């Protein structure tokens, strides 16, 4: 029975992988959606530290050590600092920090050391909330330079680069110890951390509920299943082979998406990669069973296509594949946990984004396996008897 099932599965898998529609939706469209959705919703997501657009710093050419220290502190805050040479070039930047000329001394550094106030101006185009964050980071850089200057002068040392380096290397009298106050729970995943898992879950369902189901409809319409019934193959072997072919198709798509997400979009799959793969395998099993059931229920390829695409998009939206379900109202989060897409995405968020251990995803995987058994049994039981009956 198993030998016959594997033969049928291998034949069906090779046939499906030769269809250009299947190849398009397996290997071309997912990367496009990864990039588009991930870029729109935050690029790298919370797990990475994007530098954002450059910060242009306009300062006098003879700014001296104070300006150099300020630029260094800005780079420590994660800014990509640009030094435009002209005012026209400065206007091209959305974020601009302007250090004025010294009025009472020859250099900015000498003016600051003489106790003169230096009015630094920050200009920004765009999001007001992001501007507030910029002001906090800029103030931190500026105040750290002022504090170091005060410490150097208090010790009666000359203000030099060596003095700044020595101060930076000195042991801190006050330290901050940071530790977890309970279970680690970050902000909802965004960017590629959300887009890659969500898109791969959605596309797995779309591919199996269209290509996987349509192939059964075509085989029934052309009498291919009737011809198989005349072969020395048991009905169980045929059903198992059809299911294994769709299961293998889903696993190929999921593995490709995981590798692509890691290499091109720098998605970190966390410390529980085997459990992540177990959850995705259970998800593939559920979709293989649904494809088998839909292929038996649908009477035409148009019905299979329409039902497959509509069901996939609705379940993807409600289950958190399009956006983090954590940002939705409580009633929608509860609804997601009643759907298989919600189980899968919740398990991936806990394992990948929140760093929980493998045990947290065991209930999700078990629920997916149990859910796969129901449509799988229904699909096998409803497999068209008239197509598989032995000819008299």
């Amino acid at each position: 029975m198993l030998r016959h099932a594997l033969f049928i599965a291998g034949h069906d898998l090779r046939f499906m992988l030769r269809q250009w529609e299947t190849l398009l939706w397996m290997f071309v469209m997912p990367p496009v959606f990864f990039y588009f959705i991930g870029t729109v919703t935050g690029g790298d997501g919370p797990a990475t530290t994007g530098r954002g657009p450059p910060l242009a710093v306009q300062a006098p050419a003879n700014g001296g050590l104070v300006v150099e220290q300020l630029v260094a502190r800005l780079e420590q805050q994660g800014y990509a600092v640009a030094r435009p040479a002209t005012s026209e070039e400065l206007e091209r930047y959305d974020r601009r920090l302007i250090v004025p000329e010294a009025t009472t001394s020859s250099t900015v550094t000498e003016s600051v050391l003489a106790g003169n106030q230096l009015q630094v101006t920050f200009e920004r185009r765009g999001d007001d909330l992001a501007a507030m964050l910029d002001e906090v980071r800029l103030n931190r850089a500026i105040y750290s330079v002022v504090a170091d200057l005060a410490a150097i002068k208090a010790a009666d040392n000359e203000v030099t680069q060596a003095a700044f380096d020595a101060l930076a290397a000195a042991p801190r009298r006050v330290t901050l110890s940071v530790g977890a106050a309970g279970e680690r729970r970050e902000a909802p995943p965004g960017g590629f951390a959300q887009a890659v898992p969500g898109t791969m879950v959605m596309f797995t369902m779309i591919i199996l509920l269209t290509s996987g189901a349509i192939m059964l409809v075509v085989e029934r319409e052309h009498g291919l299943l009737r011809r198989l019934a005349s072969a020395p193959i048991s009905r169980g072997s045929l059903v198992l082979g059809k299911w294994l072919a769709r299961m293998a198709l889903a696993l190929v798509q999921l593995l490709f998406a995981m590798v692509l997400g890691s290499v091109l979009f720098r998605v970190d799959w966390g410390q529980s990669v085997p459990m992540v793969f177990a959850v995705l395998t259970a998800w593939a099993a559920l979709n293989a069973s649904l494809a088998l059931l839909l292929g038996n229920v649908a009477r035409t390829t148009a019905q299979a296509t329409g039902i497959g695409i509509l069901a996939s998009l609705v379940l993807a939206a409600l289950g958190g594949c399009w956006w983090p379900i954590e940002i939705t109202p409580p009633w929608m989060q509860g609804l997601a946990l009643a759907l298989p897409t919600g189980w899968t995405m919740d398990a991936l968020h806990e394992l990948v984004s929140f760093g929980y251990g493998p045990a947290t995803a065991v209930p999700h995987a078990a629920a997916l396996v149990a859910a796969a058994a129901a449509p799988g049994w229904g699909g096998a039981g409803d497999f068209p008897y008239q197509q598989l009956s032995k000819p008299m």
Side-chain angles (χ1 to χ4, degrees), residues 17-141:
L17 288 177
R18 288 199 297 265
Q19 306 304 308
W20 71 267
E21 299 93 340
T22 303
L23 296 177
L24 174 69
W25 287 99
M26 283 185 66
F27 302 119
V28 178
M29 296 307 297
V32 174
F33 275 71
F34 290 166
Y35 177 78
F36 177 75
I37 298 178
T39 302
V40 169
T41 59
D44 295 340
T48 59
T49 56
R51 295 170 66 91
L55 172 67
V57 176
Q58 184 185 58
N62 60 346
L65 188 57
V66 167
V67 174
E68 295 175 5
Q69 283 294 314
L70 177 59
V71 171
R73 306 301 169 91
L74 291 172
E75 291 176 343
Q76 291 174 8
Q77 291 294 316
Y79 286 108
V81 178
R83 302 293 298 274
T86 64
S87 299
E88 291 76 13
E89 185 179 352
L90 177 68
E91 288 298 322
R92 301 174 187 171
Y93 293 88
D94 291 334
R95 299 190 293 185
R96 303 181 293 271
L97 186 69
I98 302 172
V99 180
E101 296 276 355
T103 57
T104 59
S105 303
S106 58
T107 67
V108 173
T109 300
E110 292 177 356
S111 178
V112 171
L113 293 178
N116 298 317
Q117 184 179 13
L118 186 68
Q119 188 70 35
V120 179
T121 304
F122 174 61
E123 300 174 350
R124 192 188 198 284
R125 291 191 294 260
D127 187 6
D128 291 338
L129 184 60
M132 294 174 61
L133 177 60
D134 280 328
E135 289 180 8
V136 172
R137 297 166 66 190
L138 292 173
N139 285 333
R140 182 176 178 182

Side-chain angles (χ1 to χ4, degrees), residues 29 31 71 125 127 131-132 141 170 191 194 222 270 279 292 296 304 314 317 358:
M29 296 307 297
V71 171
R125 291 191 294 260
D127 187 6
M132 294 174 61
Q194 161 67 27
H222 289 76
V279 170
L292 194 65
N296 293 330
V314 171

Side-chain angles (χ1 to χ4, degrees), residues 338-360:
L339 303 174
T341 45
W343 306 338
T344 307
M345 291 304 300
D346 188 59
L348 293 178
H349 283 184
E350 291 185 353
L351 294 172
V352 177
S353 300
F354 302 141
Y356 290 174
T360 60

Side-chain angles (χ1 to χ4, degrees), residues 28-390:
V28 178
M29 296 307 297
V32 174
F33 275 71
F34 290 166
Y35 177 78
F36 177 75
I37 298 178
T39 302
V40 169
T41 59
D44 295 340
T48 59
T49 56
R51 295 170 66 91
L55 172 67
V57 176
Q58 184 185 58
N62 60 346
L65 188 57
V66 167
V67 174
E68 295 175 5
Q69 283 294 314
L70 177 59
V71 171
R73 306 301 169 91
L74 291 172
E75 291 176 343
Q76 291 174 8
Q77 291 294 316
Y79 286 108
V81 178
R83 302 293 298 274
T86 64
S87 299
E88 291 76 13
E89 185 179 352
L90 177 68
E91 288 298 322
R92 301 174 187 171
Y93 293 88
D94 291 334
R95 299 190 293 185
R96 303 181 293 271
L97 186 69
I98 302 172
V99 180
E101 296 276 355
T103 57
T104 59
S105 303
S106 58
T107 67
V108 173
T109 300
E110 292 177 356
S111 178
V112 171
L113 293 178
N116 298 317
Q117 184 179 13
L118 186 68
Q119 188 70 35
V120 179
T121 304
F122 174 61
E123 300 174 350
R124 192 188 198 284
R125 291 191 294 260
D127 187 6
D128 291 338
L129 184 60
M132 294 174 61
L133 177 60
D134 280 328
E135 289 180 8
V136 172
R137 297 166 66 190
L138 292 173
N139 285 333
R140 182 176 178 182
I142 293 170
Y143 291 151
S144 65
V145 175
V146 174
D148 284 359
L149 283 172
I152 293 172
K153 294 189 68 176
D156 293 330
N157 294 328
E158 184 180 357
V159 179
T160 61
Q161 182 62 49
F164 277 104
D165 294 340
L167 190 60
R172 302 297 179 182
R173 296 183 180 181
V174 178
T175 59
L176 176 64
S177 178
V178 179
E183 289 186 339
R184 184 169 70 92
R185 191 78 176 182
E186 297 178 358
F192 298 127
Q194 161 67 27
V196 173
T199 301
M200 63 190 285
V201 167
M202 178 181 68
F203 270 85
T204 301
M205 177 170 275
I206 290 177
I207 291 169
L208 263 68
L209 295 191
T210 52
S211 296
I214 288 173
M215 183 175 175
L216 284 175
V217 177
V218 172
E219 289 178 339
R220 186 174 65 243
E221 290 178 343
H222 289 76
L224 298 180
L225 294 178
R226 188 186 299 276
R227 296 173 65 180
L228 278 175
S230 64
I233 300 176
S234 68
R235 183 168 176 272
S237 297
L238 178 56
V239 174
L240 180 59
K242 297 296 183 182
W243 184 87
L244 288 175
R246 284 142 187 83
M247 177 74 173
L249 184 69
L251 291 178
V252 169
Q253 194 270 334
L254 289 169
L255 285 172
F256 170 75
M258 289 186 68
V259 172
L260 188 70
S262 300
V263 175
L264 292 186
F265 302 103
R266 297 177 292 168
V267 175
D268 183 1
W269 295 102
Q271 303 300 317
S272 304
V273 176
M275 193 63 201
V276 170
F277 187 72
V279 170
L280 293 176
T281 301
W283 172 245
L286 172 59
N287 283 278
S289 298
L290 290 173
L292 194 65
L293 179 60
L294 179 59
N296 293 330
V297 172
R299 291 298 167 233
T300 65
T301 57
Q303 286 183 1
T305 302
I307 294 173
I309 293 178
L310 180 61
S312 299
L313 295 180
V314 171
L315 289 174
L318 296 178
C321 296
W322 293 0
W323 48 71
I325 201 64
E326 292 85 357
I327 68 174
T328 62
W331 68 266
M332 193 169 182
Q333 297 184 38
L335 176 61
L337 293 178
L339 303 174
T341 45
W343 306 338
T344 307
M345 291 304 300
D346 188 59
L348 293 178
H349 283 184
E350 291 185 353
L351 294 172
V352 177
S353 300
F354 302 141
Y356 290 174
T360 60
V362 170
H364 304 76
L368 289 170
V369 171
W377 182 267
D382 192 44
F383 219 72
Y385 288 93
Q386 69 276 17
Q387 304 292 357
L388 297 177
S389 58
K390 301 284 187 181

